């Protein structure tokens, strides 16, 4: 088959559930080497489309075509395993291929799955998702289809997966709400919106810019149609005899114009200023608290912290270091081994847990909220009704009268969030609130939290979300060690990398004997002639590679490349990045030697 044949092609794919049409006549293709991110609002059919592509469910019409003889690896949102088989068997069933078994162990270790003989039935849902991810990566498919690959991964694992996918030439199609991940991995963004698919040939930042241009242009078109529609409507209302046979084309054009004029673009939500809440000066104080689950599983050790009024804190750390346990200690749901937590009398917690909330499937969405309250007092005589809160979080009036049973997983998480906010708390405690929320909802929630007049604690692996919301971090490092950092996640990451370089530098420096003068540091060996020439050449090579990288990234975002050119550039970029990283490391080594 020809090399320029798409790896995957969708032709006129339509899918509906009863009267609800998710999408119709979708046409798109994924070229070899492309890394494509699929984004959309909750409930519009992202996971359904991936399920159709994977062959797990059918479509009403149209077809999905893969290139002949390619191997496809699929990560489902909720994978299923035989509970009796071991991790290694679930991940790799071809015994005897020792090289691949070693590779399986390496990837599983990166994903913090260490007991390879443990039965799958003993693993948590998050651990099973990581085994499923490892399974997909180990099989070395030609094309990867991933549904929410970063869910249940901690920050260290997410950054490892970013690097893994960036270094790979494999074709990728994935659904994720992790905006950093989309920005750093994907070269194409496809947006499913209003039953139609829009394609943007660039990363997530490029998509945001071009999407806004599309929306602005569409609004302008509708505005022009409305102005012309008023004029043409007057003409149509005249007596029929005033319109001759020759004006039939004008009458037909009027009906087409009417369709455009009656369209409604989704208006950008006004920022929802949170309700008027009061919180006293005393919030909570952790007084030298300790918690462990076994001698070798220490969560906190003599930890002290006094929480400030209006503070917005993020909590980060690897899985299993005790982040969720800390929240439950704060809320009084988990007992301490030592110390105590003193909570201010005015504090009213609103808790959003990872486990979510069990809803009555037969209840209507609006009733779930009004069971808590009919409205929130915003102060100054202003009120926010239950319906207005739901509408702000993108539940249309029609959707508010749907039954809970009809909601997608992401819509249920969004409804759960609304139940927490409707309680009008003055201290929000949010444990992984970003999981399964669409990007538009995440932006709305970020704005809400930025304006929130109370206190906030957030546990999240969403780096973009943390950067926008929090101004302070507690970093759980494991074994009871907690670092207090005054800044957001990107600032912490930058500081941490600088610290690592400093530590390496100190490690490489020869240890001085007591009484030896500092001038002895000047006796470091000097560069040889050959090393000087290599150092100079490296500087030229690095500059050249950086220039080439910039050109390729601009070309990939231009939308002007042919399929062949797009494939070639997509394959070259990860190789170029590896070469650049290798030369930069060598440059750093030589720079430590005196010229």
């Amino acid at each position: 088959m020809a090399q320029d044949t798409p790896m995957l092609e969708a032709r006129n794919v339509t899918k509906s559930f009863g009267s609800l049409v998710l999408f119709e006549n979708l046409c798109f293709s994924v070229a070899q080497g492309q890394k494509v991110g699929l984004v959309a609002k909750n409930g519009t059919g992202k996971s359904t489309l991936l399920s159709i592509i994977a062959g797990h469910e059918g479509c009403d019409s149209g077809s999905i075509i893969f290139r002949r003889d390619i191997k496809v690896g699929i990560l489902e949102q909720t994978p299923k395993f035989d509970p009796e088989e071991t991790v290694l068997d679930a991940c790799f069933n071809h015994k005897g291929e020792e090289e691949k078994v070693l590779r399986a162990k390496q990837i599983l270790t990166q994903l913090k799955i260490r007991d390879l003989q443990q039965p799958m039935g003993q693993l948590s849902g998050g651990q099973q998702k990581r085994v499923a991810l490892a399974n997909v990566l180990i099989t070395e498919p030609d094309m990867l289809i991933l549904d929410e690959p970063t869910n249940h991964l901690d920050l260290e694992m997410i950054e490892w997966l970013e690097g893994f996918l960036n270094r790979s030439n494999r074709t990728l199609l994935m659904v994720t709400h992790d905006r950093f991940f989309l920005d750093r991995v994907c070269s194409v963004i496809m947006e499913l919106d209003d039953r139609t698919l829009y394609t943007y040939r660039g990363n997530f930042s490029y998509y945001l810019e071009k999407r806004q241009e599309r929306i602005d242009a569409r609004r302008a078109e509708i505005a022009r149609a409305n102005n012309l529609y008023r004029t043409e409507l007057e003409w149509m209302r005249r007596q029929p005899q005033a319109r001759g046979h020759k004006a039939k084309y004008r009458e037909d054009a009027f009906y087409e114009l009417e369709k455009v004029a009656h369209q409604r673009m989704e208006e950008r939500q006004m920022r929802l200023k949170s309700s008027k809440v009061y919180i006293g000066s005393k919030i909570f104080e952790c007084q030298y608290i300790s918690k462990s689950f076994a001698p070798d599983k220490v969560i906190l050790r003599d930890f002290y912290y006094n929480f400030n009024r209006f503070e917005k804190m993020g909590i980060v750390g690897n899985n299993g270091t005790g982040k969720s346990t800390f929240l439950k200690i704060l809320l009084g749901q988990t007992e301490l081994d030592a110390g105590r937590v003193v909570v201010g009398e005015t504090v009213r917690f609103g808790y959003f847990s990872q486990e979510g909330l069990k809803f009555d499937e037969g209840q209507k969405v609006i009733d779930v909220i009004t069971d808590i309250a009919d409205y929130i007092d915003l102060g100054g005589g202003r009120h926010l009704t239950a319906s207005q809160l739901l509408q702000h979080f993108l539940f249309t009036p029609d959707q508010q009268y749907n039954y809970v049973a009809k909601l997608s997983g992401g819509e249920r998480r969004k409804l759960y969030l609304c139940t927490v906010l409707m309680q009008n708390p003055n201290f929000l405690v949010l444990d992984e609130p970003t999981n399964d929320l669409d990007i538009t909802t995440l932006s709305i929630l970020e704005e809400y939290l930025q304006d929130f007049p109370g206190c906030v604690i957030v546990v999240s692996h969403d780096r973009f979300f943390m950067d926008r919301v929090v101004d302070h971090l507690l970093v759980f490092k494991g074994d009871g060690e907690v670092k207090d950092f005054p800044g957001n996640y990107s600032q912490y990451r930058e500081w941490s990398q600088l610290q690592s370089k400093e530590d390496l530098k100190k490690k490489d420096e020869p240890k001085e004997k007591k009484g030896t003068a500092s001038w002895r540091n000047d006796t470091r060996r000097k560069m040889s002639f050959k090393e000087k020439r290599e150092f100079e050449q490296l500087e030229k090579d690095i500059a050249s590679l950086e220039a080439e990288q910039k050109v390729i990234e601009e070309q990939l975002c231009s939308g002007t490349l042919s399929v062949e050119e797009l494939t070639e550039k997509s394959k070259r970029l990860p190789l170029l990045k590896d070469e650049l990283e290798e030369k930069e490391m060598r440059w750093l080594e030589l720079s430590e030697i005196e010229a």
Side-chain angles (χ1 to χ4, degrees):
M1 188 162 284
Q3 186 66 23
D4 60 353
T5 304
M7 297 287 272
L8 164 68
E9 187 174 8
R11 296 179 181 173
N12 299 309
V13 176
T14 298
K15 181 67 175 179
S16 59
F17 292 102
S19 60
L20 174 64
V21 180
L22 286 179
F23 40 81
E24 53 188 344
N25 297 322
L26 291 189
C27 295
F28 64 89
S29 62
V30 179
Q32 182 176 340
Q34 276 189 335
K35 292 182 169 62
V36 181
L38 175 62
V39 300
K41 292 193 290 292
N42 291 135
T44 53
K46 299 185 300 296
S47 290
T48 300
L49 179 57
L50 249 60
S51 185
I52 291 170
I53 292 170
H56 295 153
E57 65 179 288
C59 53
D60 300 341
S61 60
S63 58
I64 301 292
I65 302 166
F66 285 94
R67 186 190 291 182
R68 190 181 305 161
D69 298 328
I70 68 166
K71 186 193 292 185
V72 180
I74 300 169
L75 175 69
E76 298 177 44
Q77 195 165 11
T78 310
K80 294 178 177 63
F81 291 98
D82 178 349
E84 300 300 322
E85 64 182 348
T86 68
V87 168
L88 193 58
D89 288 342
C91 211
F92 187 78
N93 293 313
H94 304 287
K95 310 274 194 305
E97 297 183 43
E98 191 59 34
E99 183 182 334
K100 289 190 176 180
V101 172
L102 287 168
R103 178 173 172 78
K105 291 177 180 177
Q106 181 185 15
I107 291 177
L108 285 164
T109 300
Q110 290 284 357
L111 296 172
K112 309 287 175 64
I113 304 291
R114 295 188 172 89
D115 184 354
L116 306 188
Q117 298 306 316
Q118 187 175 9
M120 289 299 297
Q122 294 180 11
L123 270 59
S124 68
Q127 289 172 318
Q128 290 193 14
K129 180 73 179 268
R130 281 183 267 146
V131 171
L133 175 60
N135 196 0
V136 171
L137 300 180
I138 289 157
T139 57
E140 299 185 341
D142 303 298
M143 182 173 186
L144 289 164
I145 298 176
L146 309 178
D147 196 352
E148 296 292 356
T150 64
N151 276 9
H152 307 293
L153 302 188
D154 60 35
L155 292 168
E156 186 179 301
M157 295 181 211
I158 291 171
E159 288 174 354
W160 171 81
L161 183 60
E162 275 178 6
F164 183 94
L165 294 175
N166 273 325
R167 289 189 298 272
S168 168
N169 291 326
R170 289 183 186 84
T171 306
L172 171 66
L173 172 63
M174 69 173 173
V175 166
T176 181
H177 300 135
D178 188 321
R179 289 156 290 182
F180 265 34
F181 200 80
L182 284 167
D183 216 34
R184 293 176 179 179
V185 173
C186 293
S187 55
V188 177
I189 303 294
M190 295 194 306
E191 181 189 18
L192 186 57
D193 184 32
D194 194 24
R195 305 176 184 177
T196 306
L197 199 71
Y198 299 92
T199 301
Y200 302 85
R201 300 193 182 279
N203 64 9
F204 185 71
S205 298
Y206 175 84
Y207 151 74
L208 287 178
E209 177 188 339
K210 296 301 177 184
R211 178 182 185 271
Q212 193 57 50
E213 289 178 10
R214 171 176 69 82
I215 290 171
D216 291 343
R218 187 63 177 155
R219 283 193 175 128
E221 180 187 354
I222 292 172
R224 285 194 298 272
N226 272 295
N227 289 333
L228 183 57
Y229 176 72
R230 284 189 285 271
T231 303
E232 293 298 280
L233 185 61
E234 290 178 10
W235 178 79
M236 287 288 289
R237 283 173 173 168
R238 294 174 195 160
Q239 292 183 357
Q241 56 266 32
R243 301 200 299 271
H245 178 73
K246 291 182 179 179
K248 179 70 168 60
Y249 75 94
R250 186 174 176 182
E251 186 175 341
D252 292 340
F254 168 81
Y255 292 116
E256 290 302 313
L257 178 67
E258 188 175 46
K259 289 178 186 176
V260 177
H262 285 175
Q263 286 183 10
R264 291 286 179 268
M265 290 294 289
E266 184 181 291
E267 293 299 323
R268 178 69 180 93
Q269 295 283 335
M270 295 286 290
R271 281 181 81 127
L272 174 59
K273 299 292 183 181
S274 183
S275 59
K276 183 179 84 172
V277 297
Y278 172 76
I279 191 164
S281 56
K282 184 174 183 179
I283 311 302
F284 80 80
E285 185 180 6
C286 296
Q287 297 180 348
Y288 305 102
I289 61 176
S290 296
K291 179 66 182 177
S292 61
F293 291 105
D296 59 345
K297 186 66 174 176
V298 180
I299 303 298
L300 296 162
R301 185 185 288 113
D302 293 329
F303 176 73
Y304 178 86
Y305 192 83
N306 192 0
F307 205 88
N308 294 321
R309 200 178 187 190
F310 310 127
E311 189 171 345
K312 292 182 170 65
M313 173 188 283
I315 298 180
V316 298
N318 291 342
N319 290 345
T321 52
K323 303 183 299 296
S324 295
T325 301
F326 177 71
L327 298 187
K328 289 175 180 175
I329 288 170
L330 168 64
L331 296 164
Q333 297 180 4
T334 298
E335 291 185 2
L336 287 165
D337 297 337
R340 65 174 187 155
V341 174
V342 180
V343 180
E345 291 180 1
T346 63
V347 171
R348 291 195 316 278
F349 288 117
Y351 178 43
F352 183 97
S353 71
Q354 279 196 59
E355 293 78 19
L357 183 68
K358 289 186 178 178
F359 295 106
D360 177 352
E361 299 288 309
Q363 200 171 18
K364 292 180 179 177
V365 170
I366 185 70
D367 294 335
V368 171
I369 303 301
T370 53
D371 278 355
I372 298 165
D374 292 323
Y375 65 88
I376 298 173
D377 183 2
L378 296 177
R382 297 180 304 124
H383 294 87
L384 181 75
T385 67
S387 178
Q388 287 170 331
L389 177 69
L390 285 168
Q391 195 156 357
H392 188 80
F393 282 93
L394 307 180
F395 285 101
T396 65
D398 287 344
Q399 288 173 325
Q400 292 177 26
Y401 286 89
N402 273 347
Y403 290 102
V404 169
K406 292 187 176 182
L407 299 182
S408 68
E411 287 172 319
R412 286 168 184 257
R413 293 282 286 177
K414 194 163 59 171
L415 179 59
Y416 174 35
L417 176 65
C418 289
T419 66
V420 174
L421 301 182
M422 200 67 193
Q423 295 167 32
N424 202 18
N426 56 18
F427 195 135
L428 285 169
V429 179
L430 309 176
D431 194 357
E432 295 293 356
T434 64
N435 281 358
D436 301 321
L437 294 186
D438 61 64
I439 289 167
T440 307
T441 303
L442 287 175
S443 297
I444 293 168
L445 178 57
E446 284 161 1
E447 291 177 353
Y448 181 92
L449 294 177
Q450 286 165 0
D451 297 334
F452 186 68
C455 297
V456 178
I457 290 183
V458 182
V459 171
S460 178
H461 296 138
D462 188 323
R463 297 155 292 178
F464 192 97
F465 183 83
M466 294 292 263
D467 277 358
R468 290 199 67 194
V469 170
V470 310
D471 49 28
H472 195 101
L473 289 181
L474 287 183
V475 184
F476 279 64
K477 292 178 166 290
D479 196 30
E481 183 185 354
V482 180
K483 174 157 187 66
D484 185 354
F485 182 82
N488 62 25
Y489 176 76
S490 289
Q491 291 163 341
Y492 169 72
R493 187 68 180 154
E494 186 178 344
W495 174 85
S496 184
Q497 288 171 342
L498 286 172
Q499 287 295 112
S500 297
K501 287 178 182 177
E502 285 296 316
D503 291 344
L504 281 173
K505 192 174 179 182
K506 287 176 184 176
K507 187 178 178 182
D508 291 339
E509 287 176 357
K511 292 181 180 177
E512 294 183 17
K513 294 178 182 178
K514 286 185 179 179
T516 305
S518 61
W519 57 264
R520 291 198 49 158
N521 285 335
D522 295 336
T523 63
R524 290 183 304 169
R525 79 172 182 88
K526 296 181 180 295
M527 271 191 200
S528 66
F529 177 80
K530 185 178 178 181
E531 285 172 333
K532 283 183 181 179
R533 299 288 78 79
E534 183 187 2
F535 188 73
E536 291 167 1
Q537 186 60 45
L538 280 169
E539 288 184 326
K540 293 176 184 176
D541 291 347
I542 288 169
S544 174
L545 289 168
E546 285 177 339
E548 184 185 355
Q549 180 180 347
K550 185 178 179 184
V551 169
I552 289 178
E553 287 174 342
E554 287 174 353
Q555 288 174 335
L556 288 172
C557 293
S558 68
T560 61
L561 298 179
S562 66
V563 172
E564 295 89 341
E565 290 171 325
L566 197 62
T567 301
E568 180 191 344
K569 302 293 182 187
S570 297
K571 289 168 72 174
R572 170 61 181 151
L573 190 58
L575 297 175
L576 190 153
K577 286 179 177 177
D578 283 347
E579 188 180 353
L580 185 58
E581 184 179 343
E582 185 180 330
K583 288 186 181 292
E584 285 174 337
M585 288 300 293
R586 178 58 179 156
W587 183 91
L588 280 170
E589 287 174 14
L590 291 175
S591 68
E592 295 296 317
I593 304 171
E594 187 178 348

PDB file of all heavy atoms in Angstrom, residues 399-413:
ATOM      1  N   GLN A 399     -30.778  20.180  29.404  1.00  0.00           N
ATOM      2  CA  GLN A 399     -30.000  19.154  30.114  1.00  0.00           C
ATOM      3  C   GLN A 399     -30.340  19.112  31.607  1.00  0.00           C
ATOM      4  O   GLN A 399     -30.259  18.060  32.233  1.00  0.00           O
ATOM      5  CB  GLN A 399     -28.505  19.410  29.931  1.00  0.00           C
ATOM      6  CG  GLN A 399     -27.994  19.105  28.526  1.00  0.00           C
ATOM      7  CD  GLN A 399     -26.548  19.532  28.351  1.00  0.00           C
ATOM      8  OE1 GLN A 399     -26.106  20.534  28.897  1.00  0.00           O
ATOM      9  NE2 GLN A 399     -25.793  18.760  27.574  1.00  0.00           N
ATOM     10  N   GLN A 400     -30.735  20.254  32.158  1.00  0.00           N
ATOM     11  CA  GLN A 400     -31.063  20.304  33.583  1.00  0.00           C
ATOM     12  C   GLN A 400     -32.276  19.450  33.919  1.00  0.00           C
ATOM     13  O   GLN A 400     -32.434  19.028  35.072  1.00  0.00           O
ATOM     14  CB  GLN A 400     -31.299  21.748  34.012  1.00  0.00           C
ATOM     15  CG  GLN A 400     -30.037  22.604  33.975  1.00  0.00           C
ATOM     16  CD  GLN A 400     -30.312  24.046  34.346  1.00  0.00           C
ATOM     17  OE1 GLN A 400     -31.270  24.336  35.075  1.00  0.00           O
ATOM     18  NE2 GLN A 400     -29.485  24.962  33.864  1.00  0.00           N
ATOM     19  N   TYR A 401     -33.109  19.200  32.926  1.00  0.00           N
ATOM     20  CA  TYR A 401     -34.302  18.383  33.173  1.00  0.00           C
ATOM     21  C   TYR A 401     -34.135  16.954  32.645  1.00  0.00           C
ATOM     22  O   TYR A 401     -35.091  16.191  32.603  1.00  0.00           O
ATOM     23  CB  TYR A 401     -35.543  19.072  32.590  1.00  0.00           C
ATOM     24  CG  TYR A 401     -35.949  20.248  33.444  1.00  0.00           C
ATOM     25  CD1 TYR A 401     -35.421  21.517  33.207  1.00  0.00           C
ATOM     26  CD2 TYR A 401     -36.786  20.081  34.545  1.00  0.00           C
ATOM     27  CE1 TYR A 401     -35.742  22.592  34.021  1.00  0.00           C
ATOM     28  CE2 TYR A 401     -37.117  21.147  35.369  1.00  0.00           C
ATOM     29  CZ  TYR A 401     -36.592  22.402  35.100  1.00  0.00           C
ATOM     30  OH  TYR A 401     -36.915  23.471  35.926  1.00  0.00           O
ATOM     31  N   ASN A 402     -32.874  16.613  32.271  1.00  0.00           N
ATOM     32  CA  ASN A 402     -32.551  15.217  31.959  1.00  0.00           C
ATOM     33  C   ASN A 402     -32.408  14.425  33.248  1.00  0.00           C
ATOM     34  O   ASN A 402     -32.122  14.990  34.311  1.00  0.00           O
ATOM     35  CB  ASN A 402     -31.215  15.133  31.193  1.00  0.00           C
ATOM     36  CG  ASN A 402     -31.408  15.297  29.700  1.00  0.00           C
ATOM     37  OD1 ASN A 402     -32.515  15.233  29.192  1.00  0.00           O
ATOM     38  ND2 ASN A 402     -30.305  15.518  28.994  1.00  0.00           N
ATOM     39  N   TYR A 403     -32.553  13.109  33.125  1.00  0.00           N
ATOM     40  CA  TYR A 403     -32.309  12.247  34.274  1.00  0.00           C
ATOM     41  C   TYR A 403     -30.807  11.993  34.412  1.00  0.00           C
ATOM     42  O   TYR A 403     -30.070  11.950  33.419  1.00  0.00           O
ATOM     43  CB  TYR A 403     -33.064  10.926  34.116  1.00  0.00           C
ATOM     44  CG  TYR A 403     -34.561  11.100  34.238  1.00  0.00           C
ATOM     45  CD1 TYR A 403     -35.378  11.120  33.108  1.00  0.00           C
ATOM     46  CD2 TYR A 403     -35.155  11.267  35.495  1.00  0.00           C
ATOM     47  CE1 TYR A 403     -36.751  11.304  33.218  1.00  0.00           C
ATOM     48  CE2 TYR A 403     -36.531  11.452  35.615  1.00  0.00           C
ATOM     49  CZ  TYR A 403     -37.318  11.472  34.474  1.00  0.00           C
ATOM     50  OH  TYR A 403     -38.673  11.667  34.592  1.00  0.00           O
ATOM     51  N   VAL A 404     -30.370  11.813  35.649  1.00  0.00           N
ATOM     52  CA  VAL A 404     -28.953  11.571  35.932  1.00  0.00           C
ATOM     53  C   VAL A 404     -28.440  10.364  35.143  1.00  0.00           C
ATOM     54  O   VAL A 404     -27.292  10.349  34.694  1.00  0.00           O
ATOM     55  CB  VAL A 404     -28.741  11.355  37.450  1.00  0.00           C
ATOM     56  CG1 VAL A 404     -27.332  10.847  37.739  1.00  0.00           C
ATOM     57  CG2 VAL A 404     -29.016  12.642  38.214  1.00  0.00           C
ATOM     58  N   ALA A 405     -29.293   9.373  34.950  1.00  0.00           N
ATOM     59  CA  ALA A 405     -28.893   8.154  34.235  1.00  0.00           C
ATOM     60  C   ALA A 405     -28.365   8.444  32.837  1.00  0.00           C
ATOM     61  O   ALA A 405     -27.592   7.655  32.282  1.00  0.00           O
ATOM     62  CB  ALA A 405     -30.078   7.192  34.152  1.00  0.00           C
ATOM     63  N   LYS A 406     -28.773   9.570  32.255  1.00  0.00           N
ATOM     64  CA  LYS A 406     -28.359   9.897  30.885  1.00  0.00           C
ATOM     65  C   LYS A 406     -27.023  10.629  30.813  1.00  0.00           C
ATOM     66  O   LYS A 406     -26.505  10.878  29.726  1.00  0.00           O
ATOM     67  CB  LYS A 406     -29.435  10.767  30.207  1.00  0.00           C
ATOM     68  CG  LYS A 406     -30.741  10.039  29.932  1.00  0.00           C
ATOM     69  CD  LYS A 406     -31.677  10.918  29.111  1.00  0.00           C
ATOM     70  CE  LYS A 406     -32.945  10.162  28.742  1.00  0.00           C
ATOM     71  NZ  LYS A 406     -33.848  10.994  27.913  1.00  0.00           N
ATOM     72  N   LEU A 407     -26.451  10.996  31.960  1.00  0.00           N
ATOM     73  CA  LEU A 407     -25.226  11.792  31.960  1.00  0.00           C
ATOM     74  C   LEU A 407     -23.996  10.938  31.668  1.00  0.00           C
ATOM     75  O   LEU A 407     -23.920   9.785  32.083  1.00  0.00           O
ATOM     76  CB  LEU A 407     -25.033  12.487  33.314  1.00  0.00           C
ATOM     77  CG  LEU A 407     -26.121  13.472  33.756  1.00  0.00           C
ATOM     78  CD1 LEU A 407     -25.737  14.092  35.098  1.00  0.00           C
ATOM     79  CD2 LEU A 407     -26.340  14.561  32.706  1.00  0.00           C
ATOM     80  N   SER A 408     -23.024  11.546  30.976  1.00  0.00           N
ATOM     81  CA  SER A 408     -21.730  10.884  30.758  1.00  0.00           C
ATOM     82  C   SER A 408     -20.920  10.948  32.054  1.00  0.00           C
ATOM     83  O   SER A 408     -21.285  11.651  33.007  1.00  0.00           O
ATOM     84  CB  SER A 408     -20.958  11.591  29.639  1.00  0.00           C
ATOM     85  OG  SER A 408     -20.551  12.897  30.065  1.00  0.00           O
ATOM     86  N   GLY A 409     -19.790  10.227  32.076  1.00  0.00           N
ATOM     87  CA  GLY A 409     -18.935  10.244  33.268  1.00  0.00           C
ATOM     88  C   GLY A 409     -18.452  11.642  33.608  1.00  0.00           C
ATOM     89  O   GLY A 409     -18.451  12.043  34.783  1.00  0.00           O
ATOM     90  N   GLY A 410     -18.051  12.391  32.600  1.00  0.00           N
ATOM     91  CA  GLY A 410     -17.579  13.757  32.832  1.00  0.00           C
ATOM     92  C   GLY A 410     -18.685  14.675  33.334  1.00  0.00           C
ATOM     93  O   GLY A 410     -18.453  15.526  34.204  1.00  0.00           O
ATOM     94  N   GLU A 411     -19.909  14.502  32.807  1.00  0.00           N
ATOM     95  CA  GLU A 411     -21.036  15.321  33.251  1.00  0.00           C
ATOM     96  C   GLU A 411     -21.403  15.006  34.702  1.00  0.00           C
ATOM     97  O   GLU A 411     -21.819  15.898  35.450  1.00  0.00           O
ATOM     98  CB  GLU A 411     -22.236  15.086  32.324  1.00  0.00           C
ATOM     99  CG  GLU A 411     -22.061  15.725  30.951  1.00  0.00           C
ATOM    100  CD  GLU A 411     -23.158  15.338  29.977  1.00  0.00           C
ATOM    101  OE1 GLU A 411     -23.561  14.148  29.958  1.00  0.00           O
ATOM    102  OE2 GLU A 411     -23.608  16.209  29.225  1.00  0.00           O
ATOM    103  N   ARG A 412     -21.262  13.758  35.122  1.00  0.00           N
ATOM    104  CA  ARG A 412     -21.529  13.394  36.518  1.00  0.00           C
ATOM    105  C   ARG A 412     -20.530  14.066  37.452  1.00  0.00           C
ATOM    106  O   ARG A 412     -20.887  14.535  38.526  1.00  0.00           O
ATOM    107  CB  ARG A 412     -21.460  11.873  36.692  1.00  0.00           C
ATOM    108  CG  ARG A 412     -22.660  11.137  36.127  1.00  0.00           C
ATOM    109  CD  ARG A 412     -22.404   9.639  36.065  1.00  0.00           C
ATOM    110  NE  ARG A 412     -23.516   8.952  35.447  1.00  0.00           N
ATOM    111  CZ  ARG A 412     -24.445   8.250  36.105  1.00  0.00           C
ATOM    112  NH1 ARG A 412     -24.368   8.139  37.423  1.00  0.00           N
ATOM    113  NH2 ARG A 412     -25.426   7.668  35.472  1.00  0.00           N
ATOM    114  N   ARG A 413     -19.245  14.087  37.040  1.00  0.00           N
ATOM    115  CA  ARG A 413     -18.229  14.763  37.851  1.00  0.00           C
ATOM    116  C   ARG A 413     -18.544  16.255  37.966  1.00  0.00           C
ATOM    117  O   ARG A 413     -18.388  16.871  39.018  1.00  0.00           O
ATOM    118  CB  ARG A 413     -16.846  14.585  37.221  1.00  0.00           C
ATOM    119  CG  ARG A 413     -16.328  13.179  37.243  1.00  0.00           C
ATOM    120  CD  ARG A 413     -15.791  12.756  38.588  1.00  0.00           C
ATOM    121  NE  ARG A 413     -14.504  13.363  38.902  1.00  0.00           N
ATOM    122  CZ  ARG A 413     -13.856  13.184  40.043  1.00  0.00           C
ATOM    123  NH1 ARG A 413     -14.392  12.433  40.989  1.00  0.00           N
ATOM    124  NH2 ARG A 413     -12.692  13.745  40.257  1.00  0.00           N
TER     125      ARG A 413
END
